[in-house]
Each structure stands twice: as C-alpha cells, then as structure tokens.
C-alpha cells in the first residue's frame, strides 16, 4: 500500500514538473522574424500597466502571425479601441496567448468572425468558439500583423495569460528568443516629505534629483539632507538589444542602511489591479511632465500585488541620524544597475508651514458636489489617498459651449473609478438638449476628448475617470462622408475595395453602416484614420446590387447619408 502511494506521488510530481516545464519552455516566437521589442511587460502606460510585449514588425503590416503553441482559439475580438482585431488561443499547459492589433485573420478565422458580424449586423464584436471548432497547431499561421485598435504604429502585441483567472504573466519569463545584455538606465530619484513638518534640503517640497553616470556607476550630483519623514521614488527605463525603445524595469528594490526596505517585481498583474498604476507612480509628474517615477511607498488605496518586503510603508525617518540608501534596478534577464546616496540629518533649517487644505476629500468615502448647474458624484475608493480638491466655475467660455466650464479638481489628480457628472441644459430648446455632450478640457481650455452623455429631463449626464475642467458642448453639425479611391456618385463592386473617410469634429463618430440595395454589408472601420473599407465578397454580398448607401451618425445622433450608383 505504501509503495502504491509512493508511486502515485512520484507520478503526480513528475506530471506537475513536466507541466511546469512545458509552460515555461514550450512557446515559440509568434512571428518568424527576429524578436525586437518596442515595449515590455509592466511598462508604465496611461491608466494601466502594459500587459504584454510589443514586438516590432519591421515597420510594416502583413507579417505572418503564428500560434506560439498548439491549442484552440477561444476568443476572437474586433474593437475600434484597445487591442483592435485580436485572437486568443487556449493551450493545454494552463496558459492562453493573445495576439493583438492584427490586420486580418486567417481564412477559417475570418469566416467564423464574419458569420458573427453579419448575424449581429455590426463590425465590432467578440465571439467565443468552442474547443472543437477552431483548433490550431504550434506554428500555424493565424493572422497577419497590423495596426488596428489603439496601436500607435505597426507591431504585434503579444500576451501570455493564466487561463484559470486570465491574469497576464510576464512573457519574458518564458524563455522566448529575445536577447538582452543591456543594463537598465536610471534617470532620477525623487524625495517626498510625508508630513507637514518634514524638510528636504531646507524645503517642505518634493525634490527631484537627476542621476548622472560617471566612471561606470550612477550617482546623485548634489548633497542631500532631511529632517522628518521621507519616502522615495525612482525613474528608470530598460532598453533591449536591437532597439532603443524605452521599456520598463522588471524589479526595483530600495535598501536603507543595507536592509531591504521596499521591492516590487513585474511577474504578473491581474487586470482588476492594473489601474492602481495611478497610485504606483507619481501621478502629478507623469501627467504634468511625462516623468515615469515609480514610488517606493504605498498610498492607502493601492491594492497592487506586485510588492514585496515593504518596511514602514516605505517611510524613512530622519531624526537623530542620517541614512545610506541604495536602489537596485533589474531587468527580466538579470542585468542590474544601482545608485547609492547618503542623506544627512538637517539640524539647521528653520521650520516651514504648508498651505492649509480647505476642501479635503476622503478616499474611503463618497464625495458629492452640488452647485448651480452641476452635480458631481464620486464613488467611495475613487481616490488613492485623501486629496485636497478645488472646485470652481470658470468665468471664461469656449466655442459651442452650452454650459459653463467647471473645474472639478486637477488634471494631475488620479481617479480610480468613474465619477458621474450631470450638467443642467434646461435653458436650451428641447430639440437642442439632446445635442449636448460632455467634454474634458486641458489647462488652456482646449478639448481633450468628447465624453458623450445621456440627456434626460433637461440634464445631460456622462461618466469619466479623469479630474479637471469639463463643459457641455453643443453639436448640431452632421458628420461627413468622403469617397477616397473613386470619384463622383458612381462606382463598381468589381474593385478590390471601396474606401471612405468618415469624419466628425465634435462629439465623434457614433455608428456607421453600409447597405447594398437595403441589405446590410460589412464596413471595416479604423477609428484612428477614419477610414471605412467595404471589400466586395460574393459569398456575403449581392454583387449585382445597383445602389450603395453609407450612413454615419455622430455621438449625439446627427446623421449623414450618402448613396452611390453601382455599375455592372
């Protein structure tokens, strides 16, 4: 009996070991070209950590994408945003790979997704094939690379996720054929006063010190002294062989008097944690000055699981004596850079007082603004710490403004959850009230982005995850439709494609449709370029149709129709 149990455990652990080896070593490169990276896992992005690696496609589209391992296609997604056209492959080793920003799918996959698009009469869609429907072998061509969705240039975004919980895992831990012998680069160190009485070099303000590389090591070029409670942050980047793109560091560790005081590693980041990047970085420096400073201390509402060995929540006390500090920055291949610096105790500088915070909003409470013409509701745990928030109505106005401009806090304050903004538009004629949409503005009161909105009972309500200036804008202008690869009002379905430019300069493109003799036809739309492409397909379309109609509506319902005669 004991021998049987021992044999069972031996087989079990043998199987587990082989499964783990398979998971780490079985994936091949998703393209048959050299692997040079434009971005890596955990890199700082707007509102999220980068969940995969961006692989260069030699500055072109149309590179063959292959399955990194055998499995079945478990999801096909087509979106105007984010990943654009994407394929998800579930593998028997416990992982799922993701291939994003694709230009076109393989024939069988394309047929599958088009069935769904024609069924739903929609270009954007997501389908989840059964395990038996779209099986692939390792190395099979599944798509061609592209630039769809939120991509800023041709490349492949590649992810490896744990299938059981869809958590992205760092692909650089899976022995892919990527070369990296370059050490991370340290840009600067930040020092933060953590209470009202703390001084750093005689001032009660955050201090940024640019690093210098001299004689084979990084140094801080100025003397430092402090009194009180100080926390730290660091900006560091990594570059891999064959590329000068700024990537992120894999791990950052802070030592105080040779004892580990703070550490994080970019092994895996669940999607429900990724927006806590707003608490992980110095949000003000990121948004204001584009500096990617990663803090070595935790805000009260920071639920990231990347941290290890946090001592005193990252705080360092300067009372009776100074401290020796050292940062150690590593990439995923073990290349390491360090910077060491001493901070003495300041015993001479006079105390200073910080301005009093008049309106402090608690991060762990609901916060509501109700003023003439506006109501703002901010849910509990939308901030990462208590914030000193200013609210005011701007005396200035801008073109097409249907409401006053309201300053809801600062552009440089991070927001985790959506806040709801309701603007009063009862002063407008009823037919115009539905044409108002919310818009976010920058410091110069230029529109950053339309936020949309829903109008009801003389009020327009929209949701947003950014603080700053907001206004309700009136949009009565119809979107435009322009033919690109033919002229006049007559064309033919014998062309390889018919291309149109869809444009709306106000509330933005809402919906778009194409009809051949009143029968819906698929339009492939790229929101970045505004190009809509109709590709004649004899299996899907009536190529003997005599009329093509394009219909475009903006976000507030203004509609433009344009019809073209079709010659045989």
């Amino acid at each position: 009996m004991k021998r049987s149990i021992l044999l069972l455990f031996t087989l079990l652990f043998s199987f587990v070991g082989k499964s783990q080896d398979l998971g780490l070593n079985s994936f091949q490169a998703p393209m048959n070209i050299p692997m040079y990276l434009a971005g890596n896992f955990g890199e700082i992005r707007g509102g999220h950590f980068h969940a995969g690696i961006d692989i260069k496609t030699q500055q072109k589209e149309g590179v063959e994408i292959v399955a990194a391992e055998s499995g079945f296609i478990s999801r096909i997604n087509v979106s105007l945003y984010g990943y654009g056209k994407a394929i998800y492959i579930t593998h028997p080793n416990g992982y799922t790979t993701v291939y994003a920003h694709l230009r076109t799918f393989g024939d069988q996959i394309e047929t599958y997704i088009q069935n769904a698009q024609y069924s739903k009469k929609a270009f954007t869609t997501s389908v989840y094939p059964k395990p038996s429907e779209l099986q692939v072998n390792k190395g099979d061509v599944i798509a061609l690379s592209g630039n769809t969705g939120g991509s800023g240039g041709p490349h492949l975004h590649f992810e490896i996720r744990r299938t059981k919980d869809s958590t992205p895992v760092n692909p650089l831990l899976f022995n892919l054929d990527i070369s990296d012998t370059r050490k991370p680069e340290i840009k600067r160190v930040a020092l933060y006063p953590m209470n009202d009485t703390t001084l750093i070099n005689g001032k009660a303000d955050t201090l940024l010190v640019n690093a210098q590389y001299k004689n084979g090591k990084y140094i801080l070029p100025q003397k430092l002294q402090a009194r009180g409670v100080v926390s730290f942050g660091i900006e560091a980047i990594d570059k891999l062989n064959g590329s000068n793109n700024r990537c992120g560091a894999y791990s950052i560790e802070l030592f105080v008097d040779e004892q580990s005081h703070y550490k994080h590693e970019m092994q895996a980041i669940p999607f429900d944690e990724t927006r806590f990047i707003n608490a992980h970085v110095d949000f003000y420096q990121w948004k204001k000055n584009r500096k990617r400073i990663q803090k070595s201390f935790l805000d009260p509402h920071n639920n990231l699981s990347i941290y290890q060995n946090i001592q005193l929540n990252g705080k360092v006390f300067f009372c009776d004596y100074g401290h020796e500090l050292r940062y150690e920055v590593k990439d995923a291949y073990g290349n390491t850079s360090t910077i060491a610096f001493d901070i003495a105790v300041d015993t001479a500088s006079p105390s200073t007082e910080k301005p009093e915070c008049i309106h402090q909003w608690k991060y762990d409470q609901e916060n509501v603004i109700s003023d003439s013409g506006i109501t703002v509701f901010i849910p509990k745990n939308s901030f990462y710490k208590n914030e000193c928030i200013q609210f005011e109505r701007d005396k200035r106005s801008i073109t097409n403004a249907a409401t006053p401009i309201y300053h809801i806090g600062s552009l440089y304050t991070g927001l985790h959850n959506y806040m709801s903004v309701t603007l009063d538009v009862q002063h407008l004629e009823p037919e115009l009230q539905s044409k108002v949409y919310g818009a976010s503005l920058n410091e110069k009161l230029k529109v950053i982005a339309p936020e949309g909105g829903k109008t009801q009972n003389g009020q327009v309500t929209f949701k947003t995850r950014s603080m700053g200036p907001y206004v309700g804008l009136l949009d009565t202008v119809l979107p435009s439709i322009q033919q690109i690869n033919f002229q006049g009002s007559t064309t033919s379905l014998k062309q390889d494609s018919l291309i149109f430019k869809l444009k709306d300069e106000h509330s933005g493109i809402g919906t778009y449709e194409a009809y051949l003799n009143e029968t819906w036809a698929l339009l492939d739309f790229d929101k970045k370029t505004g190009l809509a492409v109709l590709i004649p397909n004899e299996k899907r379309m009536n190529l003997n149709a005599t009329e093509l109609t394009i219909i475009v509506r903006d976000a507030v319902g203004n509609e433009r129709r344009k019809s073209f005669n079709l010659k045989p």
Side-chain angles (χ1 to χ4, degrees):
M1 181 67 178
K2 291 182 179 179
R3 183 177 180 181
S4 299
I5 294 174
L6 179 61
L7 179 60
L8 177 61
F9 272 95
T10 301
L11 291 172
L12 177 61
F13 282 105
S14 175
F15 175 80
V16 170
K18 288 180 179 179
S19 297
Q20 290 174 340
D21 289 342
L22 178 63
L24 290 176
N25 299 306
S26 69
F27 292 118
Q28 73 165 69
M31 293 184 288
N32 294 315
I33 60 174
M35 295 262 285
Y36 298 121
L37 299 191
N40 68 346
F41 184 88
E43 185 181 334
I44 306 299
R45 299 288 178 93
H48 68 283
F49 292 96
H50 194 225
I53 56 176
D54 288 342
I55 308 171
K56 294 187 176 187
T57 55
Q58 302 175 339
Q59 299 181 328
K60 64 183 180 182
E61 298 183 33
V63 177
E64 289 186 340
I65 307 300
V66 300
E69 181 54 271
S70 298
F72 69 93
I73 294 176
S74 52
R75 183 183 180 190
I76 311 165
N77 190 59
V78 178
S79 173
L80 301 182
Y81 308 94
Y83 291 4
K85 295 183 177 181
I87 292 174
Y88 300 66
I89 301 178
T90 297
H91 309 284
N93 60 8
Y95 294 100
T96 295
T97 50
V98 183
Y99 313 75
H101 307 310
L102 307 172
R103 186 175 76 182
T104 56
F105 302 116
D107 291 344
Q108 187 180 6
I109 304 168
E110 186 70 47
T111 297
Y112 195 99
I113 191 67
Q114 282 195 13
N115 287 340
Q117 290 171 318
Y118 273 88
S119 174
K120 298 176 182 178
K121 294 185 179 180
F123 170 63
T124 59
T125 189
S126 191
V127 295
Y128 300 84
K130 297 177 182 178
S132 60
E133 290 185 297
L134 293 174
Q135 297 184 359
V136 294
N137 293 318
K138 184 175 183 177
D140 284 353
V141 176
I142 57 173
L144 297 180
S145 68
N147 186 33
T148 56
S151 171
H155 73 281
L156 173 68
H157 174 84
F158 177 71
E159 294 180 15
I160 299 177
R161 300 183 184 179
R162 289 196 300 255
T163 301
K164 65 179 181 180
D165 58 9
S166 295
T167 294
V169 182
N170 195 334
L172 299 185
L173 303 177
F174 285 78
N175 300 323
L176 296 173
D177 188 16
I178 298 172
S179 178
D180 182 14
T181 58
R182 303 170 69 174
K183 295 181 179 181
E185 299 176 16
I186 297 174
K187 297 295 184 182
R188 57 188 52 85
V189 171
L191 291 77
Y192 300 91
M194 298 305 290
N195 60 30
D196 293 341
T197 60
T198 295
L199 296 178
I200 300 171
N201 279 10
K203 297 181 179 181
D205 303 318
T206 297
L207 176 65
L208 304 186
V209 185
N210 292 337
Q212 294 182 359
Y213 190 72
K214 285 187 175 181
N215 302 319
K217 64 179 181 180
Y218 288 97
I219 62 168
L220 296 183
Q222 67 183 85
K223 292 184 177 180
L224 299 172
Q225 58 181 5
R227 182 170 76 238
V229 185
V230 181
S231 290
F232 297 86
I234 186 170
E235 181 177 13
I237 65 170
D238 190 40
K239 296 179 180 179
L240 287 80
N241 293 6
S243 173
N244 280 319
N245 293 75
R246 294 166 57 105
C247 294
Y250 172 72
S251 72
I252 293 175
E253 187 167 13
L254 174 64
F255 294 86
V256 178
D257 299 326
E258 295 303 320
Q259 299 297 313
S260 181
H261 199 72
Y262 164 96
K263 184 179 182 181
H264 76 253
E265 287 185 344
M266 298 298 183
Q267 294 182 4
I269 304 174
F271 281 113
D272 62 359
E273 295 182 10
T274 191
R275 193 166 176 83
F276 285 108
I277 191 173
N278 293 342
H280 177 74
V281 301
D282 183 329
F283 191 83
Y284 176 87
Q285 290 295 335
W286 166 235
K287 286 297 181 181
K288 178 74 172 179
N289 301 315
R290 310 310 292 174
K291 291 181 170 63
R292 297 175 173 88
I293 297 172
Q294 301 186 61
K295 298 187 301 190
S296 302
F297 60 98
L298 272 58
D299 289 335
H301 185 218
N302 179 353
N303 295 340
L304 278 168
S305 57
I306 62 174
Y307 303 112
Q308 305 173 16
N309 195 37
I310 309 296
Q311 302 297 316
L312 302 174
N313 202 34
K315 296 176 181 177
V316 181
F317 293 82
F318 292 86
C319 301
D320 300 323
Y321 52 87
H323 296 282
E324 298 177 350
L325 296 101
R326 174 168 55 88
Y327 269 110
E328 191 173 270
V329 183
K330 295 182 179 180
D331 63 26
Y333 295 89
N335 302 303
T336 304
S337 293
T338 62
I339 186 167
F341 51 98
D342 297 338
I343 302 180
V345 172
D346 182 353
T347 58
S349 296
S351 299
T352 61
E353 292 186 6
K354 284 188 175 182
E356 183 182 358
C357 178
I358 300 175
H359 301 290
Q360 188 178 73
W361 290 7
K362 303 291 187 179
Y363 77 91
D364 57 352
Q365 298 178 6
E366 293 179 350
N367 293 277
V368 179
I369 298 172
S370 186
D371 198 67
S372 175
I374 185 173
T375 301
V376 180
F377 174 75
I378 303 176
K380 178 181 178 180
N381 289 327
S382 291
F383 298 113
Y384 301 100
K385 56 185 176 63
N386 296 339
E387 295 285 359
C388 189
I389 298 295
Q390 300 297 323
F391 169 79
E392 63 179 352
R393 176 173 171 168
D394 204 306
K395 295 180 180 179
R396 297 168 291 176
S397 187
I398 62 174
T399 304
N400 298 323
T403 72
I405 296 170
Y406 298 95
H407 294 264
I408 309 170
S410 166
L411 286 162
Y412 311 118
T413 298
L415 195 64
H416 195 77
N417 300 315
Y418 283 96
M419 68 177 180
S420 174
V421 181
T422 299
L423 302 174
D424 187 0
V425 293
Q426 294 184 67
H427 59 283
L428 297 176
E429 296 295 327
E431 63 271 16
L432 293 179
Q433 292 178 7
S434 63
K435 302 300 181 183
V436 177
Y437 64 98
S440 57
L441 308 176
N442 63 17
E443 289 179 316
K444 297 180 179 179
L445 303 187
K446 301 295 183 182
V447 175
I448 297 175
E451 302 286 348
K454 182 178 181 180
T455 304
Q456 187 175 10
N457 299 326
Q459 296 179 320
V460 59
T461 300
F462 61 91
K463 292 186 176 183
T464 179
R465 285 205 289 187
S466 297
M467 307 292 284
Y470 284 91
V471 67
L473 296 179
L474 183 64
D475 180 7
T476 59
V477 180
L478 274 59
S480 64
I481 303 169
Q482 177 188 359
Q483 55 269 44
I484 298 299
N485 63 342
F486 67 94
Q487 296 180 347
S489 59
T490 301
T491 185
S492 172
L493 294 177
K494 291 184 179 179
Q495 293 185 212
D496 291 338
S497 63
L498 300 178
I499 305 175
F500 305 88
K501 178 85 169 182
L502 312 183
K503 189 175 182 181
D504 188 89
E505 295 182 346
H506 300 282
S507 59
I509 298 295
T511 63
Y512 46 91
E513 298 170 287
Y515 290 89
L516 294 171
N517 286 1
E518 300 183 357
T519 300
W520 188 88
L522 180 65
L523 267 183
D524 192 318
F525 183 55
D526 186 334
K527 191 174 181 65
K528 294 192 302 294
T529 62
L531 295 180
V533 181
L534 186 146
I535 300 176
N537 184 334
E538 62 180 5
K539 294 181 180 179
R540 304 282 185 181
M541 304 173 183
N542 175 14
L543 300 188
N544 294 317
T546 58
E547 185 180 61
L548 167 64
T549 301
I550 306 294
I551 305 172
V552 183
R553 301 178 187 89
D554 63 21
V556 297
N558 298 308
E559 181 182 294
R560 172 84 68 181
R561 290 172 176 254
K562 199 167 186 179
S563 295
F564 304 90
N565 297 319
L566 297 174
K567 60 185 179 182

